[in-house]
Amino acid sequence: MTLGENTIRLDIKTKVQGSRRYPQDFNMPGQLYAKVVWSQYPHARVKRIDTSAAEATPGVVKVITYKDVPLNEYGIHTPDQTVLVPEGGKVRWLGDRIAIVVAETEEIAEEARKKVKVEYEPLPVVTDPREAMKPGSPLVHEEKGTNILHHIKIRRGDVEKAFEEADVIVEGYYITPHVEHVYLQPEAGIGYIDEEGRITVIAAAQWPHDDLHQISHFLQIPIEKLREIVPAVGGAFGGREDMYIQHLLALCAYVVRRPVKMVFTREETMMRTGKRHPFYIRHKWGAKKDGKLVAGEVEMISDAGAYASTSIPVLNNAASFALGPYVWPNVKVDAYTVYTNNAVTMAMRGFGSPQPAFAYEIQMDKLAEALGMDPVELRMKNLVEDGSPTITGATFPPGVGIKETLRQAALAAGWREENGRWIKPQIPQPKEPYKRRGIGVACAFKNVGYSFGFDDKATARVMLSWDESGEITRAIVKIGTSEVGEGVHTALAQIAAHTLGIPIQKVRIALVDTAEVPNAGSSSASRHVYISGNAVKAACELALRRKEEILRAETGETSVEVEYTYRGRIERPTTPYHPETGECFPHISYGWGTQIALVEVDTETGQVSVLKIWAAHDVGKAVNPEMIIGQIGGGVHMGIGYALMEHFIHEGGYPRTRRLSEYPIPTVLDMPPEIVPIIVEVPDPAGPYGAKGIGEMTTLPTAPAIINAIHDAVGIWVDELPATEEKVYKLLKEARAR
Ligand code: MOS
């Protein structure tokens, strides 16, 4: 019925009309306003905190410091952060917090925060993870004795021997920058004590139930006494997976026992919250003359910034994707994530998959060039299929659709297939001799769900009501799935309606309020359609069975509520890396995609225009094709930003791109006039109705496809993102000089 249809998004009307309330739109009688006193240094010892002048300011209710935090530690994965830095403690980046000023008005809070005096002893700063790894480098966390937060090794076969036997060796070195999430809605919200005495936070969050775990830890308050409500979320992209405001709002409510509102400025969200990891990636590939890959060696180093956040799970992902969706008999991967005094780095759309994809797909085109082989043909020879080995010695689960995405994208973009040979289309060149066009292809893949042994699960509660005839009148789905703007509530409602055999108008998705809905895990890892979708599907099936039982028993009841918890490991138990060999079953499921970019390079200015993108994505089963096309548009947009302009710049630990005027993202004028979405459906038998994930995959192939297209147009390789005009111009000049 509704599955596979372009059901209109449940939230669209209120969002378009502007009546939907985002966290900053909530106000309460008697509310106070809070402002954070941020660290002034990327690395310094805090010697003294003097709050007296701020406290003496009329209208200031409280200056909260470390003394008010019951157990001063938190962190989504590793509790290596203090909520508020204590005297004698250290600031390790500019996002560390010294105090929170709570006042009767926002203006007073702003004025008083400037009056908090902090005495610092500045410390040497380390900002390049490659330097930070070296012995003798300043330590970000002394007690750890090293800045290396984590190291992953993957060893398969014998790379040295295979390199000797290879016909071609291609080496490369790739660098990706810090990237800002740029959600439209900066962090905001309100903390208060609810009618049942619970410390309650209204904020934009990706995983409200996990926020409560972290808050419960540092406030030393049982989780039942805490509550988080997630209304409309103005974009997330991984940036709301960690807490940047939720914990501060909870702390404010806990200390002052009144509603406290806090809204970050754009500058605060830019300077004081997490970013996407920069990666430094070295590749060495060996192949046979016929294009068969024989050995891949990769070293990748990621900049974790000042605190762990999710740097280890991000690195876990990155290492598993290091060599792309290809079959490799011999593999050696060393992956490191390293503390620095740069911004904390964290989840961002792709969670460790965009950086490796940029590197491995340019490597692939360099190899194609070295072999004199068409890039589509070379990929076709090596892409994984059902049952192919992962580089970690496992096999891919059924539903591997990558070849199909490449085939469909290549044919759409004008490639011809002749007896296994692939022939690239001739690209007509513009009349202006200084303008050159080129076409580039890139494939990419990413996990769906949490990996490496993490118990990925979601609980759905479904309440069914029916009339005397037994016809369902209403279904309420209660699930803690944050709708972060991607349309997941609509997709889940479609799955529910389809499973129950009722029109979607009869389905309601309850407000995400931890007091009312069960834990569904984070809105991340492109996992909700798969994991939460399976939970909703199974809960609906259970509800239908219970309804039939009740009708048969003729009890007269006209409603039933059931609960079901879906666990990824029911079907596919993932395992962590073996410490020496890296052997593991890494991921539950995957999404697959290929994009092809047509670009035009102005050789006099270095400006690159993206003229057209073909984007083929395997989603298993398209729950809502229109929303998938929307995801593709959004993913391509982010990918163009990654490819051509986005760069969150630090100097000595100080961010230099502090506002949107200094951090360009693509506008409508930077978007290609045409994006051709191609939806591929190779079902995953364990997904709900075959569905996989789509959220992150849409952005992965865009940047490497564009960079490969630039090479096709003008012969240069841009190995360090972004390919700004200046960089392309310089590379062209160097190329001409050679
Ligand atoms: Mo997403 S990068 O898995 O929050």
Side-chain angles (χ1 to χ4, degrees):
M1 326 191 29
T2 52
L3 198 83
E5 284 177 10
N6 293 324
T7 303
I8 291 174
R9 286 182 56 147
L10 305 180
D11 54 349
I12 206 69
K13 195 170 160 194
T14 52
K15 281 182 176 170
V16 169
Q17 291 177 337
S19 59
R20 185 112 186 162
R21 289 201 295 168
Y22 287 81
Q24 63 269 50
D25 300 326
F26 287 81
N27 290 294
M28 294 188 143
Q31 80 190 11
L32 302 167
Y33 296 83
K35 290 281 178 188
V36 177
V37 179
W38 300 102
S39 163
Q40 299 280 308
Y41 291 90
H43 199 194
R45 179 81 45 201
V46 174
K47 300 190 73 172
R48 225 168 67 83
I49 302 168
D50 178 1
T51 57
S52 53
E55 272 162 350
T57 308
V60 168
V61 172
K62 175 80 186 165
V63 179
I64 301 171
T65 67
Y66 68 97
K67 293 176 186 155
D68 300 298
V69 188
L71 180 60
N72 197 5
E73 59 172 40
Y74 81 105
I76 187 169
H77 190 263
T78 310
D80 60 353
Q81 307 195 45
T82 51
V83 180
L84 297 172
V85 179
E87 284 175 311
K90 284 208 307 185
V91 292
R92 298 180 174 89
W93 71 303
L94 290 187
D96 268 319
R97 302 144 303 275
I98 306 289
I100 308 171
V101 178
V102 184
E104 295 290 347
T105 70
E106 199 170 2
E107 292 72 23
I108 296 171
E110 177 60 45
E111 194 194 310
R113 87 161 141 183
K114 294 175 194 146
K115 294 187 190 164
V116 174
K117 292 194 194 72
V118 186
E119 211 180 294
Y120 291 99
E121 177 197 328
L123 297 168
V125 164
V126 57
T127 59
D128 184 327
R130 295 167 295 181
E131 292 303 315
M133 287 172 80
K134 294 180 185 159
S137 157
L139 291 175
V140 181
H141 297 264
E142 284 88 358
E143 68 285 1
K144 295 185 196 295
T146 170
N147 287 321
I148 299 176
L149 171 62
H150 197 57
H151 174 199
I152 296 163
K153 290 191 265 187
I154 303 174
R155 304 284 185 266
R156 268 172 70 71
D158 184 344
V159 285
E160 291 311 323
K161 187 159 154 274
F163 283 136
E164 277 165 31
E165 290 162 8
D167 296 316
V168 182
I169 303 256
V170 173
E171 295 184 76
Y173 191 71
Y174 305 94
I175 300 177
T176 67
H178 280 98
V179 174
E180 158 69 17
H181 300 80
V182 199
Y183 22 72
L184 290 181
Q185 176 224 322
E187 289 73 5
I190 187 161
Y192 62 99
I193 313 287
D194 80 353
E195 59 290 348
E196 291 188 27
R198 288 175 291 217
I199 293 170
T200 305
V201 171
I202 299 177
Q206 284 176 248
W207 192 354
H209 288 85
D210 188 73
D211 289 354
L212 295 193
H213 273 284
Q214 295 181 63
I215 293 168
S216 163
H217 179 74
F218 76 75
L219 288 184
Q220 294 282 287
I221 286 178
I223 211 147
E224 305 74 44
K225 295 266 162 54
L226 303 171
R227 179 180 177 192
E228 191 166 299
I229 300 168
V230 182
V233 176
F237 314 117
R240 304 189 204 271
E241 193 159 274
D242 294 47
M243 298 188 297
Y244 280 99
I245 199 164
Q246 300 92 310
H247 57 326
L248 306 181
L249 290 167
L251 178 64
C252 287
Y254 165 81
V255 173
V256 303
R257 317 302 290 182
R258 281 173 67 181
V260 179
K261 183 165 179 169
M262 182 154 33
V263 180
F264 284 3
T265 61
R266 178 61 66 179
E267 199 165 310
E268 285 180 306
T269 190
M270 296 281 287
M271 284 181 70
R272 319 286 185 176
T273 72
K275 308 287 164 252
R276 178 186 279 160
H277 295 78
F279 268 67
Y280 301 82
I281 307 176
R282 187 185 306 283
H283 273 276
K284 183 177 177 186
W285 288 17
K288 291 287 190 190
K289 268 203 286 287
D290 65 358
K292 271 282 166 212
L293 298 168
V294 294
E297 187 178 294
V298 187
E299 181 202 69
M300 46 171 67
I301 298 165
S302 88
D303 180 351
Y307 296 103
S309 174
T310 42
S311 289
I312 294 173
V314 164
L315 190 77
N316 284 342
N317 265 8
S320 75
F321 304 134
L323 284 157
Y326 304 107
V327 177
W328 291 95
N330 300 286
V331 174
K332 181 171 184 241
V333 176
D334 283 281
Y336 304 86
T337 186
V338 183
Y339 283 125
T340 66
N341 296 115
N342 290 330
V344 166
T345 46
M346 57 183 301
M348 184 177 169
R349 202 177 196 170
F351 205 86
S353 61
Q355 301 95 334
F358 165 68
Y360 63 68
E361 282 305 88
I362 296 174
Q363 269 293 113
M364 192 46 97
D365 264 37
K366 287 181 183 173
L367 178 61
E369 190 175 69
L371 290 164
M373 192 177 283
D374 178 83
V376 170
E377 190 173 319
L378 177 61
R379 285 174 173 83
M380 280 295 183
K381 280 180 193 274
N382 291 287
L383 282 170
V384 294
E385 302 173 324
D386 279 3
S388 288
T390 70
I391 59 170
T392 62
T395 44
F396 282 100
V400 178
I402 187 69
K403 275 194 178 171
E404 191 52 22
T405 65
L406 177 58
R407 198 182 67 82
Q408 291 199 28
L411 291 175
W415 260 263
R416 283 180 300 121
E417 188 189 4
E418 279 172 17
N419 316 314
R421 303 293 310 275
W422 284 83
I423 297 132
K424 199 175 138 197
Q426 279 291 330
I427 305 301
Q429 293 298 329
K431 280 188 284 297
E432 303 91 329
Y434 57 89
K435 283 186 176 170
R436 301 293 303 167
R437 290 186 180 185
I439 196 163
V441 58
C443 299
F445 70 141
K446 191 198 171 283
N447 60 299
V448 174
Y450 305 139
S451 309
F452 303 104
F454 195 101
D455 182 16
D456 193 351
K457 58 186 178 200
T459 302
R461 217 174 280 151
V462 171
M463 199 184 122
L464 273 193
S465 310
W466 55 87
D467 61 18
E468 305 88 65
S469 74
E471 188 182 319
I472 295 170
T473 50
R474 196 162 146 84
I476 301 175
V477 178
K478 296 179 182 175
I479 186 161
T481 304
S482 280
E483 163 68 66
V484 297
E486 80 282 46
V488 66
H489 280 188
T490 307
L492 294 179
Q494 286 181 264
I495 290 171
H498 182 83
T499 309
L500 295 167
I502 59 175
I504 195 155
Q505 290 74 17
K506 290 185 176 177
V507 178
R508 219 192 103 222
I509 306 285
L511 172 72
V512 175
D513 173 347
T514 59
E516 302 290 334
V517 300
N519 190 350
S522 176
S523 290
S524 64
S526 303
R527 59 184 282 284
H528 273 316
V529 163
Y530 189 100
I531 303 283
S532 298
N534 266 325
V536 168
K537 177 172 178 275
C540 287
E541 287 164 352
L542 186 59
L544 283 179
R545 284 202 297 277
R546 291 292 318 282
K547 171 176 172 260
E548 288 313 309
E549 285 163 20
I550 290 167
L551 288 179
R552 241 180 288 128
E554 296 182 11
T555 63
E557 289 162 272
T558 56
S559 74
V560 69
E561 184 166 305
V562 301
E563 189 178 287
Y564 184 90
T565 299
Y566 179 82
R567 295 183 121 95
R569 68 182 181 202
I570 296 172
E571 296 281 346
R572 305 197 186 128
T574 64
T575 56
Y577 285 111
H578 182 281
E580 295 308 320
T581 64
E583 205 163 278
C584 64
F585 183 82
H587 306 296
I588 297 169
S589 183
Y590 297 82
W592 312 91
T594 298
Q595 290 181 14
I596 294 178
L598 175 67
V599 307
E600 185 173 280
V601 183
D602 183 325
T603 58
E604 289 182 348
T605 64
Q607 192 186 7
V608 177
S609 309
V610 182
L611 302 179
K612 192 166 177 176
I613 298 269
W614 293 264
H617 289 274
D618 170 23
V619 298
K621 166 72 190 170
V623 174
N624 185 318
E626 199 60 43
M627 291 204 305
I628 289 168
I629 292 169
Q631 284 282 4
I632 289 174
V636 165
H637 172 265
M638 261 191 180
I640 289 175
Y642 201 38
L644 300 180
M645 59 192 88
E646 293 190 41
H647 190 181
F648 185 85
I649 299 169
H650 287 80
E651 275 171 21
Y654 293 92
R656 292 299 181 217
T657 35
R658 302 172 173 199
R659 31 189 94 81
L660 293 180
S661 59
E662 297 165 342
Y663 186 89
I665 62 170
T667 70
V668 70
L669 297 176
D670 300 300
M671 290 296 282
E674 207 182 337
I675 298 174
V676 182
I678 301 164
I679 298 175
V680 175
E681 293 181 310
V682 178
D684 180 331
Y689 304 105
K692 303 168 183 167
I694 180 68
E696 296 160 294
M697 295 68 173
T698 52
T699 204
L700 306 179
T702 315
I706 290 170
I707 301 301
N708 286 339
I710 294 172
H711 178 76
D712 186 53
V714 295
I716 57 164
W717 290 115
V718 183
D719 293 333
E720 180 174 352
L721 289 178
T724 57
E725 287 178 46
E726 198 182 353
K727 196 179 286 168
V728 171
Y729 177 78
K730 265 194 188 150
L731 288 167
L732 284 167
K733 214 170 135 186
E734 282 168 26
R736 266 184 234 118
R738 273 202 299 272

